[in-house]
Amino acid sequence: MIGKAEGPPISITGLGAYVPDRVLTNAELSTLVDTSDEWIMERTGIRERRIAAPEQALTDLALPAAQAALAQAGVEGKDIDLLLCATVTPDMMFPTSSALLADTLGARDAAAYDLLAGCTGFMYALAQAYGMLVGGLAKRALVVGGDILSRILDWDDRSTLVLFGDGAGAVVLEAVPEQGFLGFELGADGAGGANLWLPGSGSRIFDDGDRLVKMNGPEVFKFATRVLVSSAEAIMERCGVTIDDVDVYVPHQANKRIIDHATRKLGVPSDRVVINVDRYGNTSSGSIPLALADAAAEGRLKPGKLVLMTGMGAGLTWGSALIRWTKEMAR
Ligand code: ACO
């Protein structure tokens, strides 16, 4: 799916993020599995990641992120009439994390549901909220992306354990006088689904029902380097912009090598790229909003800046959005 945003201008007016306190370093991981700081840094660029406390579930990470986003937008829960939560690790399958969050935030009039699109979930949710706002079905949306992947990792599998971390982010979307989203490109390829999957997590019965993440790392690497580039190029072409116009590039934070490859191929100057994978690892649905929050904290998201975001992940899925930023985000 690809589309230029031709409806009334819609933008991000609030942004928040949250990561758990517990830092898990590469050195500590090397006491759990046969790995080393040197291997992880060289192959992934990840130095450390955050891990949720045993009593924390997804909504506990999402709530402070959502509250920060609402505060920045200057609105309250009651002002939200659409709440989407992109995650592959909800508190439970039902009630949805979105419904639980809507209740806690006091969003009594909100449609609330979870959305599953692997690590691309946040990009899918942005596009869906945009469509509902433009279609007049909702006035103000809260879009949350977050995961506690540490709960579904195989803690004996060094090839996946070192890559992921826990975290969440949230944005408020609403109408603005001008600018905002320019367009979206989203895609999926189920044929590659078994390269990154969670067998035993749904209604299909597997002999090995351990419900832990399994990944073909080299295949996912090839996929990721391909789609980060092709999706970004497609949306830029559709919206009539070039890479020289992009002020801030926010790629999915899976692996520094994947980001470097995409950055090189696209021709993005390195000072325009947002990278925090070194501190958080791959936080799945939390990755892009966490990176946006970091960019905001560094003073890089200013009105008029053109921001390119591209996510990719399980499904296999990918998704890009272009947005002309409209709000000064506090440092
Ligand atoms: N520590 C030490 N050695 C390791 C580790 C580790 N943590 N993990 C794997 N190895 C070993 C392998 O066993 C292999 O050993 P062998 O040669 O004796 O068989 C060797 O390192 C090389 O393994 P490769 O898989 O070929 O290493 P590669 O350079 O491809 O790096 C990696 C592996 C980092 C997983 C890479 O393939 C990758 O980043 N893939 C993409 C993963 C990803 O981003 N997934 C998520 C994206 S989608 C989403 O966000 C959900």
Side-chain angles (χ1 to χ4, degrees):
M1 182 200 95
I2 184 160
K4 205 169 158 184
E6 286 177 328
I10 302 290
S11 192
I12 292 174
T13 59
L15 170 59
Y18 178 82
V19 288
D21 294 336
R22 164 90 164 97
V23 176
L24 179 61
T25 62
N26 291 347
E28 197 177 342
L29 271 179
S30 64
T31 67
L32 303 175
V33 289
D34 181 14
T35 191
S36 64
D37 176 50
E38 193 188 4
W39 192 95
I40 301 170
M41 280 302 291
E42 188 192 314
R43 304 290 176 117
T44 72
I46 301 168
R47 189 178 303 281
E48 60 189 37
R49 67 289 291 142
R50 300 300 180 97
I51 301 294
E55 67 277 11
Q56 285 180 311
L58 179 72
T59 56
D60 301 314
L61 271 51
L63 183 62
Q67 287 168 328
L70 292 174
Q72 189 169 52
V75 298
E76 296 174 29
K78 66 176 173 44
D79 304 316
I80 296 295
D81 54 4
L82 174 65
L83 199 164
L84 298 181
C85 182
T87 185
V88 296
T89 51
D91 291 21
M92 58 200 96
M93 282 309 288
F94 53 86
T96 62
S97 294
S98 305
L100 295 172
L101 273 174
D103 178 53
T104 310
L105 292 167
R108 306 260 175 264
D109 296 329
Y113 59 97
D114 292 357
L115 186 151
L116 255 176
C119 298
T120 319
F122 182 76
M123 300 307 298
Y124 271 66
L126 278 183
Q128 210 166 93
Y130 170 83
M132 290 215 198
L133 292 172
V134 163
L137 300 182
K139 287 201 159 38
R140 191 174 288 112
L142 178 68
V143 175
V144 175
D147 272 305
I148 301 193
L149 279 195
S150 62
R151 293 281 148 73
I152 57 170
L153 290 177
D154 180 345
W155 281 70
D156 293 323
D157 177 7
R158 66 180 182 176
S159 67
T160 50
L161 182 62
V162 302
L163 302 176
F164 298 100
D166 302 335
V171 293
V172 173
L173 258 62
E174 60 189 319
V176 291
E178 55 179 359
Q179 302 187 326
F181 285 103
L182 270 65
F184 298 89
E185 195 270 341
L186 303 174
D189 174 15
N195 287 320
L196 179 54
W197 64 332
L198 195 63
S201 58
S203 56
R204 188 164 302 285
I205 295 170
F206 289 81
D207 292 339
D208 175 5
D210 64 8
R211 299 178 189 205
L212 299 173
V213 172
K214 298 182 198 317
M215 184 181 72
N216 179 339
E219 280 306 312
V220 175
F221 192 95
K222 279 190 252 169
F223 159 77
T225 48
R226 179 166 51 81
V227 297
L228 273 189
V229 176
S230 59
S231 179
E233 286 179 342
I235 194 59
M236 286 191 294
E237 188 187 345
R238 177 58 66 104
C239 294
V241 304
T242 71
I243 201 67
D244 294 335
D245 301 319
V246 171
D247 299 299
V248 185
Y249 174 47
V250 185
H252 176 49
Q253 306 287 311
N255 178 326
K256 175 84 166 37
R257 273 165 63 215
I258 294 174
I259 296 173
D260 287 346
H261 178 277
T263 301
R264 243 187 348 264
K265 280 265 179 188
L266 289 168
V268 193
S270 56
D271 61 346
R272 296 188 193 173
V273 187
V274 180
I275 297 180
N276 64 12
V277 67
D278 52 324
R279 285 176 290 133
Y280 299 138
N282 179 347
T283 54
S284 186
S285 308
S287 167
I288 296 223
L290 273 170
L292 280 176
D294 267 11
E298 290 164 8
R300 298 167 72 176
L301 299 181
K302 295 189 179 305
K305 296 282 181 196
L306 185 63
V307 181
L308 167 66
M309 309 173 233
T310 302
M312 51 83 192
L316 299 167
T317 54
W318 61 90
S320 289
L322 272 170
I323 178 171
R324 182 76 64 188
W325 209 261
T326 51
K327 182 158 181 170
E328 182 74 49
M329 294 284 169
R331 267 175 186 270

